[in-house]
Amino acid sequence: MSRSVRTRPEGSGQALSEAYDTALLDLDGVVYAGGSAIAHAVESLATARTGGMRLAYVTNNALRTPDTVAEHLTELGIPTGADDVITSAQAVARLISEQVPQGARVLVIGGEGLRVALRERGLVPVESADDDPAAVVQGYGGPELPWGRFAEASYAVARGVPWFASNTDLTIPSGRGIAPGNGAAVEVVRIATGAEPQVAGKPLPPMHRETILRTGAKRPLVVGDRLDTDIEGAFNGDVDSLLVLTGVTDGAQLLAAPPQHRPTYVDADLRGMLGGQPEVAEAGDGFRCGGWTARAGADRLELDGDGEALDGLRALCAAAWTAAGAGVCELDGGKSLAKLGL
């Protein structure tokens, strides 16, 4: 089946940690939330690693360095080295290095993660548009980033200096709720200049390329909680994905997912890596998974049976995605989701 018209979650007779050599794991909403480990994450990752799966942590957040991320994960009970962390700062630094001379100056609008990544590529971070930069790079700089930094970027970009962004996520989760992300900051410079940046982070190919170059993965599995970054990034990289429901995506969003946002597998949390995935099979004019059967009616999704709620959700996805084809499901699935307690 073409990945562009996925109509159901797939099954796997093998544990995913055995079927794939490397897990490319998102962090916030997958491994931790608000700085604390998500339930079952530490134990699940330890089991997968002991079984021979390589674990790599892939984040669009360009603020923290790989060393800082690795230290945080290790403190949570997940032994991690800096080489196991891939950031959008690294991806955008490689992208810049391929377009400017070695030793070129790059105006940095962001945090330490960007500066470290640029130096790794032999580039020189500078702070002012008057420092004759060969490029401008913008990444998340934290809530204390001064407004004047956007002006520096705008001055340089307006002069025609090439502009790069680590990512364009409009929001970022915090311990107090949802805060503006780097994408919101990028919009400030876009409005001021009318220019468009080259973007490296998920879901775009430069980020996937960076993860493969750094991990050497032959059969990677992307594990994430966001459809528009993690799952779309896997789609763009033509690799399989596991959506875990510990982060921002809920059942209704999953049912309505367009083709590029449809994961290969769906599970409640990272324990889904440790076992096989149930098959979603055709059953008459609908689909069966576990004890549930789902079909697409004229204007709603119909669900019958009992058993694990996740099996019902998988069956519903098959009915919804088949009905939508290459579009987006608009059938009312609210009552079906309520029946599952989702």
Side-chain angles (χ1 to χ4, degrees):
M1 178 186 298
S2 169
R3 66 185 176 91
S4 63
V5 289
R6 182 181 300 285
T7 56
R8 72 189 82 173
E10 291 185 12
S12 174
Q14 269 186 299
L16 300 186
S17 58
E18 298 172 358
Y20 299 88
D21 66 351
T22 306
L24 304 178
L25 295 130
D26 184 48
L27 288 171
D28 220 322
V30 175
V31 178
Y32 54 64
S36 299
I38 287 174
H40 311 296
V42 174
E43 302 87 346
S44 298
L45 293 172
T47 300
R49 184 174 56 248
T50 300
M53 188 181 216
R54 175 161 187 195
L55 306 179
Y57 302 94
V58 185
T59 176
N60 259 359
N61 191 327
L63 177 61
R64 298 195 296 171
T65 67
D67 282 312
T68 302
V69 175
E71 288 172 8
H72 180 204
L73 289 170
T74 300
E75 289 171 358
L76 293 178
I78 305 168
T80 307
D83 290 345
D84 299 321
V85 179
I86 300 95
T87 72
S88 63
Q90 294 170 323
V92 77
R94 187 185 298 272
L95 191 62
I96 295 168
S97 72
E98 294 169 343
Q99 300 181 40
V100 304
Q102 183 82 359
R105 298 177 181 183
V106 179
L107 173 58
V108 176
I109 311 300
E112 186 62 16
L114 276 177
R115 294 179 177 84
V116 168
L118 289 169
R119 294 188 190 105
E120 182 184 48
R121 292 281 151 219
L123 302 172
V124 180
V126 298
E127 302 301 316
S128 172
D130 296 332
D131 289 330
D132 194 26
V136 178
V137 64
Q138 193 168 355
Y140 183 66
E144 306 306 321
L145 187 69
W147 186 260
R149 302 306 298 154
F150 305 139
E152 288 299 322
S154 298
Y155 300 148
V157 172
R159 295 171 192 165
V161 177
W163 178 30
F164 298 81
S166 63
N167 69 294
T168 52
D169 296 358
L170 291 174
T171 62
I172 188 168
S174 77
R176 296 175 60 192
I178 300 300
N182 190 54
V186 166
E187 285 299 313
V188 173
V189 178
R190 180 185 280 119
I191 290 168
T193 64
E196 292 290 334
Q198 295 184 52
V199 184
K202 297 184 283 187
L204 297 174
M207 188 66 168
H208 181 72
R209 179 180 61 150
E210 191 72 21
T211 63
I212 300 303
L213 288 172
R214 289 181 178 269
T215 64
K218 302 299 183 186
R219 184 160 167 74
L221 177 70
V222 170
V223 184
D225 71 308
R226 295 185 69 121
L227 301 177
D228 60 348
T229 55
D230 306 315
I231 306 308
E232 185 175 342
F235 175 88
N236 289 336
D238 199 13
V239 298
D240 290 345
S241 60
L242 167 66
L243 177 76
V244 290
L245 300 175
T246 48
V248 301
T249 300
D250 60 24
Q253 292 169 327
L254 180 59
L255 294 183
Q260 69 271 23
H261 291 174
R262 296 172 185 172
T264 314
Y265 311 105
V266 180
D267 220 302
D269 52 55
L270 287 178
R271 289 176 295 179
M273 294 170 55
L274 304 181
Q277 290 286 313
E279 181 183 5
V280 180
E282 292 187 25
D285 60 351
F287 296 88
R288 172 171 287 277
C289 185
W292 297 93
T293 300
R295 63 180 294 274
D299 57 0
R300 66 186 181 194
L301 298 174
E302 299 173 357
L303 181 68
D304 294 304
D306 55 38
E308 295 289 334
L310 269 170
D311 288 340
L313 180 59
R314 294 180 183 108
L316 277 172
C317 285
W321 297 349
T322 299
V328 177
C329 175
E330 297 181 352
L331 297 173
D332 178 15
K335 290 184 179 179
S336 294
L337 288 171
K339 188 173 183 178
L340 294 172
L342 297 172

